[in-house]
Amino acid sequence: MSSAMAPNVRGVAAPGRRTVFGMCGMCATRCPIEVTVEDGRVVWVQGNPNDKAMGSSLCARGGGGIPMEYDDERPQTPLIRTGPRGAGQWRRASWDEALDYICDKLRETIEAYGPRGIALSDRGGPFADLVKTFIQALGSPNYGDHDASCGRNAHNAARSLYGVGRAAVTFDLKNCKHIVLYGRNIVESLKVKEAKDFTAAMAKGMKCTYIDPRASITACKATRYWQARPNSDYALNLAIIHEVLKQEVYDKDFVEKFVSGMDYLREAVKDATPEWQEQHTGISAGELRAFVKEIATDAPNVIFHPGWMVARHKQSFYVSRTTLILNALMGSVEVKGGCILAKTPEDVGAKGLKKLADRAPKVKEPRADGAGTKYPQWDPAAGMLHQLFHAMETGDPYGVGAYFAYRHDPFTAMPDRGAVEHAFDKLKLLVAIDVRYSETAWYADVILPEATYLERANILAQNAGPRPNFSMRDQAIAPRYDSRPAWWIFREILRRMGPLAHAEALDFETIEELWDYQLEGTGVTVAQMREHGIVSLAPAAVITPRDKLKFKTPSGKIEIESENLKKAGIPSLAPYQPREALTGDRFNLLFGKVATLTHGQSLNNPLLNEFAPEQVLWIHPSRAKPLGIADGDEVEINGGGKYSAFIKAKVTPWIHPEAVFMLHGFGATIPLATRACGVGVADQRLQHGKLYDFDLAGGGNAMTETIVTIKPKAKGGAK
């Protein structure tokens, strides 16, 4: 029997009706789900009712899971490129042939660059142990995720202040009295649990201050909306801190016990008066003072949210950092209605899952992106993708010749597709492992079709939080096409690499055997996991008593002046950099998403495509009129590079005059994705020159510093 034959599948073709617990795969949140199968076909998907916070709820994207499963517009067999990259010329291949092709190219890469010349990126999330183990077993340190274009600034800000990453700072919205959101569009860019908790808390009287140059639907729910100038939110936060200290409304007892660097903070904000910030943000000094009095009344049950997608501008790190400082000043850390630090199984007296990565030797080579070495302020466990691309392109600090894009589409997720292409063109091997034809997959050398989230099982996930748990994605049905689960794909590559890889790291014959390894010593069985999909490790949310509270920083306190940043030569609070006032036909480009679409993943979905809103360009009336643009007119937008496009204008006062806004995830080019191909404008292509334009302190791309020009479409001009 070929080693590439399909893995053993448990009872998926059994007749009758059954229930399987899993995790949704329609966005990166991966909500727990309950799947109903009849005679081998999925007939219903809902939230896992064993997760009390979520219940049976599912969002619109999750509702598109069944149409995605039974859609034929996805990779159905391994494909090997036969023409130029991106030309769409492929031949079908068996798994044996495709895997052998990949391994031959990996050997060429190792011969040229060593094992460190292999890299992989994914969407991050609860299954990272698998992909980290795979790349480690090949002898490379170069695993990364998408977060350089999403939340890396918030992550590194939390590490510098609290000693833990952003995922370890959770929010008790249910008991919150006042939440402050900096463009965190909870109602549209949603996680089901968070959105439910937010709307329930608002119904109980929670206040919401929403800060964003554009009035999203979350702004419509808020009790206060500040239309700040684009990229000016750091100035706002410095002034809020200035006023909190001046009014002496901070939690002095908490600060004295758990915060260091208050003198440094006072010096940093001494001139950041409400009047000073007004000239930069446009927010009234009087309103800011009133806000501080209000937030002080609600403390400590207040949340300053450090953000989600904060790859915005070159001071985004300091926006997230000052937001987290405000939580510390309000005493809202490790308290009901505030920020609760996530607990591991060990924190609640349980044993965590055994790590697959422990089965492979540690890699001592430095990362190609410099995270943890050249850039010591960046988390080396997660890396920085744009600097990996820089290494591909330049060979600095060493060459990268092979790259796996696993369920990740850098052409859509990262700014400046042309610059990413230029880096990819230096590769010996580009492999896309995906359930769809992504823009990156279409440019790859090999496409490996992963089984969908309803057709595959994944490794078990360990989720830290106020109430840590283990969760499962079990296989519901057999694959409809010649696709495979990721654990099997990575295992087969390692096996075929022979002595050049540590195949023992993932040498499991079945997913159940792998699960048994993970659960060893935990007291939890595979049967228990399958019975509920989730096993909680604590009976209720755990809040650390104040007398036992200690932070994972060098000092054990919340470090306003960070020891680690100081060693890296990075200021803990840099001076605010004033923003250029954009006039004439020049605007900052902002982008976002809606609740029915996930980035570039959803527009080709048979159901979600029907609910997709029209992509339009928001522009303020005071700027549109001098340009001769009326509501509904087509305009030409240009990012300064080779890419320009036409889009319909939405003239509205609910966007700041210095900015324009469009939805992300449009402008697809793949002809086999017929519903999405050619629809709308690709905002990432307008972000010319922004791949290597980033926030030095946090590492995130400065995507909203993109300046575009807008002009009316010429009469009779081509569309």
Side-chain angles (χ1 to χ4, degrees), residues 290-354:
F291 162 79
V292 169
K293 286 185 170 63
E294 184 179 309
I295 208 83
T297 301
D298 294 328
N301 309 119
V302 299
I303 296 168
F304 286 81
H305 199 297
W308 185 256
M309 204 297 285
V310 290
R312 293 175 180 160
H313 56 81
K314 287 194 283 289
Q315 291 199 304
S316 288
F317 170 86
Y318 293 113
V319 178
S320 293
R321 199 163 194 277
T322 47
T323 302
L324 292 166
I325 287 172
L326 280 162
N327 286 307
L329 294 177
M330 293 295 105
S332 62
V333 179
E334 204 65 2
V335 67
K336 274 192 172 185
C339 305
I340 300 177
L341 300 180
K343 310 302 184 299
T344 65
E346 290 75 14
D347 290 330
V348 297
K351 185 174 175 18
L353 297 176
K354 288 184 70 174

Side-chain angles (χ1 to χ4, degrees), residues 400-658:
V400 175
Y403 177 55
F404 292 84
Y406 171 53
R407 297 295 310 280
H408 182 213
D409 183 10
F411 276 170
T412 301
M414 300 297 289
D416 195 345
R417 171 172 172 159
V420 180
E421 278 188 25
H422 199 264
F424 283 175
D425 286 342
K426 302 295 179 73
L427 293 170
K428 295 177 180 293
L429 176 68
L430 174 59
V431 179
I433 305 172
D434 216 324
V435 299
R436 67 187 183 95
Y437 294 112
S438 71
E439 297 288 306
T440 300
W442 202 245
Y443 202 76
D445 302 314
V446 182
I447 299 176
L448 297 181
E450 186 184 27
T452 70
Y453 72 95
L454 295 168
E455 299 170 349
R456 72 176 183 266
N458 281 78
I459 67 171
L460 299 176
Q462 178 175 299
N463 306 298
R467 191 182 179 196
N469 64 59
F470 301 151
S471 57
M472 165 184 275
R473 174 184 279 157
D474 204 353
Q475 182 179 7
I477 58 172
R480 294 181 58 236
Y481 300 113
D482 191 14
S483 57
R484 301 287 188 271
W487 69 269
W488 182 91
I489 294 171
F490 294 135
R491 182 197 73 184
E492 288 299 306
I493 292 173
L494 292 180
R495 283 179 172 179
R496 289 163 189 262
M497 289 300 290
L500 294 177
H502 293 275
E504 68 275 10
L506 294 176
D507 200 17
F508 301 95
E509 291 301 322
T510 66
I511 192 65
E512 287 86 358
E513 184 182 330
L514 192 159
W515 287 340
D516 282 337
Y517 167 80
Q518 288 185 282
L519 289 168
E520 189 177 310
T522 65
V524 178
T525 65
V526 170
Q528 287 175 294
M529 294 299 306
R530 278 186 160 143
E531 184 179 1
H532 300 291
I534 298 171
V535 171
S536 293
L537 304 177
V542 177
I543 297 177
T544 305
R546 288 287 166 90
D547 61 345
K548 296 182 179 179
L549 185 57
K550 188 175 182 180
F551 296 88
K552 297 178 181 179
T553 57
S555 66
K557 293 189 174 186
I558 296 172
E559 292 186 352
I560 292 175
E561 186 177 19
S562 164
E563 289 294 323
N564 291 332
L565 288 177
K566 189 185 298 185
K567 288 178 183 177
I570 301 292
S572 293
L573 291 170
Y576 174 70
Q577 297 172 1
R579 304 288 161 178
E580 173 191 4
L582 299 180
T583 59
D585 63 354
R586 301 169 71 239
F587 298 82
N588 278 116
L589 176 65
L590 309 180
F591 59 93
K593 66 178 183 178
V594 291
T596 55
L597 296 179
T598 302
H599 308 302
Q601 177 178 318
S602 305
L603 194 60
N604 201 57
N605 183 282
L607 176 65
L608 299 178
N609 178 270
E610 295 182 17
F611 296 101
E614 181 183 17
Q615 188 194 38
V616 294
L617 187 75
W618 291 37
I619 183 170
H620 195 275
S622 68
R623 300 293 303 282
K625 186 176 180 180
L627 294 172
I629 297 170
D631 188 47
D633 284 354
E634 279 201 287
V635 299
E636 182 178 358
I637 183 168
N638 190 301
K642 295 180 180 179
Y643 181 80
S644 63
F646 295 102
I647 186 171
K648 186 183 291 185
K650 175 184 174 69
V651 179
T652 171
W654 296 109
I655 179 77
H656 193 278
E658 293 183 37

Side-chain angles (χ1 to χ4, degrees), residues 676-692:
C677 184
V679 178
V681 177
D683 64 280
Q684 69 275 10
R685 291 191 173 206
L686 294 165
Q687 295 161 11
H688 181 70
K690 292 301 175 185
L691 181 62
Y692 302 127

